[in-house]
Amino acid sequence: APPARAEWTGQVGFILSAVGSAVGLGNIWRFPGVAYENGGGAFLIPYIVALLTAGIPILFLDYAIGHRYRGSAPLALRRIAGKLGEGIGWFQVMICVFIAIYYTAVLAWASSYFVYSFDIRWGDDATGFFVNEYLQLADAPFTLHFVPSVLIPLVIMWIVTLIVLGAGVVKGVQRMNVIGIPLLVVGFLALVIRALFLPGAVDGLNALFTPDFSALLIPGVWVAAYSQIFFSLSVAFGIMLTYSSYRRRKSNLTTPGLVVAFSNSSFEILAGVGVFATLGFFAHQQGIGVGDLEGLTGVGLAFMTFPAIVSEMPGGPIFGMLFFGSLAIAGLTSMISIMEVILAAIMDKFGLTRLQATYRIGGVLAVISIVLFGTTSGLTALDTIDNWANNIGIVSSAVAMTITVLWIRGSGRMLAGHLSALSTFKVGRTWLFFVSILGPVVLGYMLVATIIGLIAEPYGGYSAGYLLIVGWGSVVLMIGGSLILTSRRWRYNPDNFEPWPQ
Ligand code: LEU
């Protein structure tokens, strides 16, 4: 028989770990830029709609499947929907493989910049420093020279991640979150409060929160809101499913889910406030409007614009350490959850021990990540893979999972009953409507729109050949990988099993 499944020590350990996964790089560097680009204050409407109609409902679905069928994504989904379900589970694992490889790179940069903040190492030209001295970006992608400034923190981050995972669900993952999350909250609150007292802060907040209601008519704004919610809440690609498979038999499922979802969104909005207050200060320094600043999104915001601001600020080193320290802790606790999806699946299917899975599979991924991102090829591949993994990978996975579990298997009512059995917050028709009707239809539409958009207009101005290999190629590898993994033999019969009634 397979070894007994690990269990969190209780509800608090679970909630902190789930919050640790949800709150990550997505909240601190992705959200503020995405919100700003998609209508500022008006983005909050699609964002809240996406949270309530898809984020929370699919979070509950992940919880119900993971808990009732007690398995990693491929195991639990196989138990509910046979080989098709297993294939979707492995597809979710493959999404995590791709995310893991680049997520650690950003984490490594954040930890370098934490150290660099002590003496503002980047000097007066933050952009030049990041691109030329720190990353040493080559002109063409795919030139492989190791860059020690990135290589060293990258190797350290992989070692830390694998040590935590190797120590197990309770002694590693839970402990890391129980220590990390309070630290993150304190550090980040200090940063936001400081930012609010900077001259010009109010202009920044106005720039973020002044609504542009015409943005609500643009479909792309809605797509951006839904993808942001999935990535940020860690739903629909195996993470919350895996974490809830470690909960005890008698568990309140929906109430902690609401705590996790609202904590994550509060943190996200707080990050928007902190980042934009800081940008307001920067615009004020230069005597321009916030709207005229450049580099407000993605990688540029955190590693070019922010360092430049830190250099101009009284007490800059402390501010920089708080910012990059928060980014690193938030990123590390999320990185661990991404890897746990992969390791749990490998342990379940092939019967490896946790240590074997951690060092073998984790080791291989670490090497790939280090070769790709510890070298001069770095930045370009990262944003391309990020775009395809989120907007195509995660959205497809949500559509495939809801259609299979709810339409093909028709398990909606049973799962609603499972969720409500011991929860103070009961779910019923409204939940079923969101996950089984609105979800697949709206998300399916978004997916088609995104695919057409990506074909019509080359992403980020890259060449078609590059996008074919790196962008679409990633999706082909995800599908291929899941087919191969699904075809392998199980070490222990996965169907020899009784679902948990609560
Ligand atoms: N939810 C995480 C974040 O917002 C990402 C996920 C891939 C673990 O950064």
Side-chain angles (χ1 to χ4, degrees):
R5 217 170 174 73
E7 279 180 353
W8 307 108
T9 54
Q11 183 133 304
V12 174
F14 166 71
I15 291 181
L16 287 175
S17 303
V19 169
S21 168
V23 173
L25 302 175
N27 301 59
I28 305 177
W29 68 247
R30 209 165 180 276
F31 174 77
V34 172
Y36 180 72
E37 270 191 331
N38 291 286
F43 184 72
L44 291 180
I45 298 172
Y47 177 84
I48 291 170
V49 171
L51 174 69
L52 299 178
T53 60
I56 294 176
I58 297 184
L59 174 69
F60 288 171
L61 181 67
D62 269 357
Y63 277 0
I65 297 174
H67 184 252
R68 183 173 166 90
Y69 296 93
R70 296 196 297 289
S72 56
L75 178 57
L77 284 166
R78 171 174 177 121
R79 285 172 172 171
I80 192 168
K83 277 229 161 167
L84 175 62
E86 183 183 343
I88 295 170
W90 284 114
F91 183 68
Q92 300 187 339
V93 172
M94 291 301 297
I95 295 175
C96 289
V97 166
F98 276 81
I99 296 180
I101 288 170
Y102 74 79
Y103 205 86
T104 348
V106 182
L107 188 58
W109 303 346
S111 57
S112 298
Y113 271 69
F114 172 75
V115 176
Y116 293 173
S117 294
F118 284 89
D119 57 352
I120 316 255
R121 183 87 52 91
W122 50 82
D124 296 327
D125 175 17
T127 303
F129 177 86
F130 182 63
V131 177
N132 302 322
E133 279 173 60
Y134 182 64
L135 294 181
Q136 302 183 13
L137 273 198
D139 298 331
F142 303 128
T143 13
L144 299 182
H145 292 291
F146 279 107
V147 180
S149 48
V150 184
L151 182 68
I152 296 167
L154 189 53
V155 171
I156 295 176
M157 284 301 135
W158 271 106
I159 292 177
V160 172
T161 304
L162 295 185
I163 288 178
V164 171
L165 287 161
V169 170
V170 170
K171 295 217 174 93
V173 179
Q174 178 177 308
R175 182 179 292 171
M176 173 77 210
N177 284 294
V178 168
I179 300 169
I181 295 304
L183 205 65
L184 173 65
V185 170
V186 171
F188 204 72
L189 277 177
L191 173 101
V192 174
I193 292 169
R194 169 73 186 110
L196 286 174
F197 286 101
L198 290 167
V202 175
D203 302 332
L205 297 185
N206 282 332
L208 177 65
F209 290 117
T210 303
D212 165 11
F213 286 107
S214 64
L216 292 179
L217 298 174
I218 306 173
V221 169
W222 290 86
V223 175
Y226 278 87
S227 333
Q228 175 63 27
I229 285 287
F230 288 148
F231 184 77
S232 180
L233 255 185
S234 304
V235 299
F237 51 109
I239 296 182
M240 289 299 172
L241 193 161
T242 306
Y243 270 18
S244 64
S245 76
Y246 302 134
R247 296 213 57 198
R248 299 233 168 100
R249 172 163 182 173
K250 303 248 173 240
S251 289
N252 180 339
L253 297 172
T254 53
T255 317
L258 293 175
V259 173
V260 172
F262 288 113
S263 310
N264 180 59
S265 287
S266 309
F267 198 97
E268 202 142 76
I269 292 177
L270 198 65
V273 167
V275 167
F276 272 83
T278 313
L279 294 173
F281 161 77
F282 194 43
H284 177 88
Q285 282 311 79
Q286 303 176 22
I288 57 174
V290 176
D292 300 321
L293 289 173
E294 280 168 13
L296 300 194
T297 53
V299 170
L301 177 65
F303 297 98
M304 300 177 193
T305 311
F306 245 75
I309 304 174
V310 166
S311 316
E312 287 196 17
M313 193 184 286
I318 297 182
F319 196 82
M321 281 160 55
L322 285 176
F323 180 74
F324 290 108
S326 303
L327 206 52
I329 297 178
L332 189 60
T333 52
S334 298
M335 175 62 196
I336 286 166
S337 71
I338 301 168
M339 287 298 298
E340 181 62 27
V341 171
I342 304 168
L343 300 183
I346 296 287
M347 289 188 280
D348 283 347
K349 179 134 192 179
F350 300 105
L352 298 190
T353 64
R354 175 166 281 274
L355 281 181
Q356 286 168 335
T358 307
Y359 295 114
R360 288 189 205 160
I361 306 301
V364 171
L365 293 183
V367 169
I368 298 176
S369 162
I370 289 164
V371 168
L372 277 177
F373 292 107
T375 61
T376 42
S377 83
L379 190 61
T380 39
L382 187 140
D383 66 315
T384 311
I385 297 177
D386 178 71
N387 187 61
W388 261 261
N390 289 310
N391 296 334
I392 305 286
I394 296 179
V395 179
S396 312
S397 154
V399 174
M401 182 169 76
T402 46
I403 289 187
T404 307
V405 171
L406 302 157
W407 294 6
I408 302 182
R409 297 291 307 168
S411 306
R413 265 168 203 283
M414 181 263 291
L415 292 173
H418 185 85
L419 281 169
S420 299
L422 290 178
S423 301
T424 32
F425 180 86
K426 312 277 181 210
V427 300
R429 288 218 181 114
T430 317
W431 177 72
L432 273 175
F433 172 74
F434 286 138
V435 277
S436 55
I437 307 204
L438 205 67
V441 174
V442 173
L443 297 175
Y445 164 78
M446 274 174 39
L447 185 62
V448 174
T450 313
I451 293 176
I452 294 175
L454 283 172
I455 294 173
E457 200 184 322
Y459 169 80
Y462 294 115
S463 76
Y466 171 78
L467 293 178
L468 194 65
I469 297 174
V470 178
W472 298 110
S474 303
V475 177
V476 171
L477 285 179
M478 286 176 200
I479 297 174
S482 56
L483 290 176
I484 294 175
L485 286 157
T486 306
S487 71
R488 305 272 104 185
R489 278 180 66 91
W490 287 85
R491 172 79 170 72
Y492 304 104
N493 179 4
D495 306 316
N496 178 10
F497 158 87
E498 278 300 315
W500 262 351
Q502 277 247 47

